[in-house]
Amino acid sequence: FISYSRRDMAFADRLEAVLKSRGFTPLIDRSEIHAFEDWWKRIEALIAQADTIVFVLSPDSIASEVVGREVAFAASLNKRFAPIVCRPVDDKAVPDVLARLNFINFVDLARFEASADRLTDALGTDIGWIRRHTEFGEQARRWSMAGQPNGLLLRSPVLEEAEQWIAARPEGAPAPTEETQGFVRESRRAATRRRNVLTGSLAA
C-alpha cells in the first residue's frame, strides 16, 4: 500500500508504475478524501491486504491528518513499513513508528531507478514470512470482527503452519499482533477440546 499526500501524487504515480514493472502489485487510493462515508473503510481494507506500507515522506505527508491515520492503522496491525523520502523533511516531525527505520532517498530524481532498486530489494526481503503475516492477520481480523466464532478458527494442518510461522519470525520482521497470536492460541485450545471429546468418546 502506498501512503502519500495528494500533493505528491505525481511522484506516487511514478512509484506505482516502477513497482508494477518490477512484479509488485501496488495498492493506492486516489479517491477524493471524505467524499463518501465509507471512504475510510476502503482504506482500512487496502492496508489490511498489503504486505508492506510504503510511506512517501514529504512535508505535506507528515502534516496530513489522513496520512497520519493510515500510519496509525497500519501500525495497529504491525504492518511492515518502507519509508521513502521524496522531498526533504524535518526528522523530528516524522512519526515515531517510521523514525526508527532506515529511509530510502528518492529526492534526487536523476537517481530514481537506483533508489527503486534499493526499494524493491527491501520489499523482497523475508517476503514469504511477511505474506503469511498478512494472511493470518486478515483471518484474525475477520474472526474478531465477527465476534470470535469457533467456525472461523484455524484447523489442522493450517493451525500447525501458523504456529510454526510464529516461531520462525525473521530478525527485524514485524511481530504478529496480539489479535493474531490470540487467534492462533484460541484455535489450538479449540483443537485440543475437539481431541479430548473424541478421545473420551472412543474410551466410552
Side-chain angles (χ1 to χ4, degrees):
F1 179 79
I2 300 174
S3 179
Y4 69 104
S5 163
R6 291 304 186 273
R7 294 192 178 184
D8 299 314
M9 183 173 284
F11 177 86
D13 287 343
R14 185 177 180 185
L15 181 65
E16 179 190 23
V18 77
L19 289 175
K20 282 183 176 178
S21 72
R22 296 170 190 229
F24 292 91
T25 306
L27 302 175
I28 187 168
D29 178 68
R30 291 190 174 83
S31 63
E32 290 293 328
I33 59 174
H34 307 309
F36 301 100
E37 186 177 348
D38 64 350
W39 168 80
W40 181 246
K41 293 294 183 184
R42 184 170 66 256
I43 295 296
E44 287 184 329
L46 290 175
I47 292 174
Q49 293 170 32
D51 295 320
T52 304
I53 310 304
V54 176
F55 187 92
V56 179
L57 284 164
S58 73
D60 291 298
S61 66
I62 290 176
S64 168
E65 179 183 348
V66 171
V67 172
R69 286 180 68 188
E70 292 175 355
V71 171
F73 180 69
S76 76
L77 300 179
N78 281 12
K79 289 291 182 178
R80 179 174 66 168
F81 285 98
I84 66 175
V85 183
C86 77
R87 286 187 284 139
V89 296
D90 179 358
D91 290 345
K92 294 180 181 178
V94 177
D96 289 342
V97 70
L98 302 175
R100 57 186 173 81
L101 303 174
N102 292 325
F103 301 162
I104 296 177
N105 198 323
F106 278 80
V107 173
D108 183 0
L109 294 181
R111 294 184 51 78
F112 186 92
E113 290 297 325
S115 298
D117 287 340
R118 290 184 59 203
L119 176 59
T120 52
D121 286 346
L123 294 177
T125 302
D126 300 321
I127 191 61
W129 194 93
I130 293 293
R131 283 178 177 160
R132 298 312 294 270
H133 187 289
T134 302
E135 177 186 339
F136 290 128
E138 283 207 84
Q139 290 179 331
R141 189 163 171 259
R142 286 196 296 270
W143 171 71
S144 182
M145 293 176 67
Q148 302 184 346
N150 286 340
L152 292 181
L153 291 172
L154 300 174
R155 292 176 177 251
S156 296
V158 179
L159 173 56
E160 286 74 23
E161 291 174 5
E163 291 171 330
Q164 292 166 10
W165 164 77
I166 290 175
R169 175 190 169 201
E171 183 178 355
T177 62
E178 181 54 42
E179 181 178 67
T180 300
Q181 295 182 61
F183 173 61
V184 174
R185 286 195 300 268
E186 187 55 39
S187 296
R188 172 52 63 194
R189 280 194 285 266
T192 301
R193 287 194 297 269
R194 288 193 301 272
R195 184 187 62 201
N196 290 343
V197 168
L198 178 59
T199 301
S201 298
L202 291 173

